[in-house]
Amino acid sequence: MRAGITICAIFLGLIARHHESACAADTLNTPDWLSVSGIVRARHQFLENQFRPGFPDEPDHILALRSLLDVKIKPSQSLTLGFEMQDGRIIGASDATPLNTGVVNTFELLRAYASLELDDVFDTAGSHRFTVGRMTLELGRGRLIGRNGFRNTINAFTGIHYTWTRPDTTLDAFWVLPVDRRPNTRAALLENETAFDRESFAQQLWAIHWEQRNQAWGLTTQLYVFGIHERDEPDRQTRNRQLYTPGFAIFKSAAPDEWFVDLEMSLNFGKSNRTAAATDTQRLEHFGFTAHAEVGYRFDVAWTPMLLAQFDFASGDPDPTDNNNGQYDTLFGPKRGDFGHTDIYGALARENIIAPAIAIHVWPTDKMHARLRYQPAWLDEARDGWPDIGVIDPTGQSGTFIGHQIETRFTWDLFNDHVRLGAGSGFLIRGRFAREAPNANDTGDSVYFYSDVSLRF
């Protein structure tokens, strides 16, 4: 961990000595029709007492690097051509590092799109935006689809996205092909190898999403339905999901000296296989359910502290041997906001879980933010296991308590927001299931730390 802190400190020192260079956006002097921006982030991560099965009992240190370069060209007031490159790589990975394409995706075209925005057409008031190409998506509360912020790589999609916006109303509709990040073998990821990502009609995702703002008591309401349709290919196995996910959200954003709320519920129904294994061909009736409830208050005093309580539930499968699948599928939703840090940590997810939480946020200045959060977690169904981690007891005799998670995070923006420092921790005090399940990696309570520095230009 000292090595990562030292690297970040050296990086910050170089920026501080040459902070005028950090304000590249102010000195590029690009023409009005061109904008160039980007982020370079270095993050050291440390994990001790790995909870995933099959990993050696040794501490894990890595340095994760993420670079984004975003270029926008505006040939006219209404047309935008956008291109964004992503490079996510790691240094220092070992046999103890849980690697996947969420951590490594080197030198890849994240976005390449054309966006046309028109006002007051089709005899309707408001703005109409049509986007075609490869894109990232952020929709609703971000629990089913969103642009990954903490994770080292970002989900991308290729297709069509339409948005109609009025002062109090937004309608979104899209049909896209999720981008399959490559390479995806552990050997290639360890070497930070580069291969072109690809999309295929064998996996399709669509959604219709309606948002109505400025309702009674300052509430916003969202109604939506998502659909995913996929099938196996020779070089990619899937769970052959044919799922529909309707849902709704009602929320009020936090403001000083006010209460706020966040309620969201959705369900999936359709058909799926239990696993993505080529030998798993049994079609199951799928029905899953999730709920998120949150209430809090932000005080209008020094540091504007915000207290909140939340509850998350996602259904599990009560009987993995029958013809039904009851496990909720969160599609492409980032999980850090409700379940803690990801990357090499990522202990909890919106699958087979019951997880209340309490948290406090403070803003010592308008450039600093800190959070402390406590979250105990149970399995909804004992026999469905800890799906995102791979720990399972088919008999259900190991109980349901995963453990107590304690999470901290801190950010500090410097030099006109061109530099951000970040740090945080995650502690998983293991419960009975995480200790006693037949394939549990019972090495003790898990400890995770990270520190990072980001340069924005």
Side-chain angles (χ1 to χ4, degrees):
M1 185 169 64
R2 292 194 191 101
I5 294 173
T6 300
I7 291 170
C8 290
I10 292 172
F11 191 22
L12 176 61
L14 291 172
I15 293 170
R17 288 185 59 192
H18 305 285
H19 66 273
E20 292 181 359
S21 298
C23 302
D26 301 329
T27 60
L28 284 176
N29 196 27
T30 57
D32 293 341
W33 53 267
L34 175 66
S35 69
V36 180
S37 61
I39 300 176
V40 178
R41 185 182 71 190
R43 170 181 292 146
H44 175 259
Q45 301 182 66
F46 166 81
L47 177 62
E48 186 171 38
N49 296 331
Q50 173 65 259
F51 41 78
R52 296 173 178 86
F55 286 86
D57 181 14
E58 60 185 58
D60 185 18
H61 297 261
I62 67 164
L63 182 65
L65 306 174
R66 184 169 85 170
S67 302
L68 299 171
L69 178 64
D70 187 12
V71 178
K72 292 184 176 66
I73 301 170
K74 290 190 70 67
S76 67
Q77 189 65 29
S78 58
L79 179 63
T80 301
L81 305 177
F83 306 90
E84 185 174 15
M85 295 297 300
Q86 168 181 262
D87 186 87
R89 62 184 62 233
I90 55 170
I91 298 173
S94 67
D95 290 341
T97 305
L99 280 183
N100 55 44
T101 59
V103 182
V104 177
N105 188 220
T106 58
F107 197 65
E108 184 57 48
L109 186 63
L110 180 65
R111 294 193 294 169
Y113 63 91
S115 182
L116 180 66
E117 189 160 351
L118 303 172
D119 294 328
D120 302 325
V121 295
F122 309 132
D123 295 324
T124 59
S127 171
H128 302 262
R129 185 173 68 247
F130 302 85
T131 303
V132 179
R134 183 177 286 190
M135 65 193 80
T136 59
L137 292 168
E138 185 80 42
L139 199 62
R141 306 302 286 162
R143 296 188 176 101
L144 287 167
I145 195 167
R147 183 177 167 112
N148 312 85
F150 185 84
R151 202 181 76 180
N152 208 44
T153 69
I154 300 170
N155 291 332
F157 307 86
T158 299
I160 303 170
H161 182 198
Y162 166 72
T163 303
W164 173 52
T165 303
R166 299 182 67 182
D168 294 334
T169 304
T170 299
L171 171 66
D172 283 277
F174 66 75
W175 171 83
V176 294
L177 310 177
V179 173
D180 183 26
R181 292 185 296 273
R182 300 294 180 100
N184 54 17
T185 65
R186 182 175 178 84
L189 297 174
L190 276 170
E191 296 299 324
N192 293 304
E193 293 182 7
T194 298
F196 289 121
D197 296 349
R198 69 177 186 88
E199 50 277 292
S200 167
F201 286 97
Q203 187 178 58
Q204 304 178 37
L205 176 73
W206 58 267
I208 300 172
H209 188 282
W210 175 272
E211 177 176 288
Q212 189 70 42
R213 299 177 289 276
N214 297 323
Q215 297 180 293
W217 305 295
L219 293 172
T220 295
T221 300
Q222 298 173 341
L223 300 172
Y224 56 81
V225 59
F226 285 75
I228 187 166
H229 310 281
E230 63 186 9
R231 65 178 187 275
D232 291 345
E233 296 180 281
D235 61 344
R236 182 173 66 167
Q237 300 299 310
T238 73
R239 291 191 292 118
N240 292 285
R241 291 172 293 177
Q242 304 291 325
L243 298 181
Y244 303 90
T245 303
F248 74 90
I250 301 173
F251 64 93
K252 181 179 184 295
S253 298
D257 205 24
E258 289 187 6
W259 291 92
F260 62 90
V261 296
D262 186 355
L263 173 66
E264 182 167 8
M265 297 182 183
S266 67
L267 57 89
N268 341 100
F269 65 90
K271 290 184 178 293
S272 66
N273 293 3
R274 193 169 305 280
T275 71
T279 55
D280 185 355
T281 59
Q282 183 183 9
R283 302 295 285 153
L284 307 176
E285 295 293 331
H286 192 122
F287 186 89
F289 174 76
T290 189
H292 172 90
E294 184 176 313
V295 62
Y297 190 86
R298 187 167 179 179
F299 297 88
D300 191 11
V301 297
W303 291 26
T304 58
M306 184 174 74
L307 299 176
L308 65 90
Q310 72 180 63
F311 175 82
D312 278 282
F313 169 84
S315 63
D317 188 8
D319 184 357
T321 65
D322 65 10
N323 294 323
N324 299 299
N325 186 354
Q327 186 184 112
Y328 182 78
D329 191 312
T330 194
L331 299 180
F332 296 91
K335 60 186 182 181
R336 191 197 185 206
D338 294 332
F339 295 103
H341 309 304
T342 55
D343 272 9
I344 67 169
Y345 184 63
L348 305 179
R350 199 178 307 281
E351 297 173 321
N352 190 33
I353 197 168
I354 301 171
I358 55 174
I360 179 170
H361 297 246
V362 294
W363 288 262
T365 73
D366 61 352
K367 303 295 183 182
M368 291 184 180
H369 170 239
R371 160 174 145 167
L372 171 65
R373 188 163 171 268
Y374 165 66
Q375 184 175 40
W378 291 261
L379 303 177
D380 173 49
E381 298 289 349
R383 297 176 64 189
D384 198 22
W386 198 356
D388 204 42
I389 303 303
V391 177
I392 188 168
D393 181 356
T395 70
Q397 299 302 306
S398 300
T400 61
F401 188 47
I402 299 171
H404 307 270
Q405 178 173 263
I406 302 170
E407 175 206 359
T408 68
R409 65 177 71 172
F410 171 78
T411 59
W412 185 13
D413 291 318
L414 301 166
F415 304 131
N416 295 323
D417 296 341
H418 289 292
V419 176
R420 168 170 284 190
L421 301 182
S425 62
F427 303 92
L428 182 64
I429 303 170
R430 302 195 196 190
R432 180 187 169 196
F433 178 83
R435 297 193 313 266
E436 298 182 4
N439 66 333
N441 199 2
D442 185 17
T443 55
D445 298 333
S446 301
V447 179
Y448 170 78
F449 291 102
Y450 77 89
S451 59
D452 60 31
V453 58
S454 302
L455 169 63
R456 306 174 183 180
F457 60 89

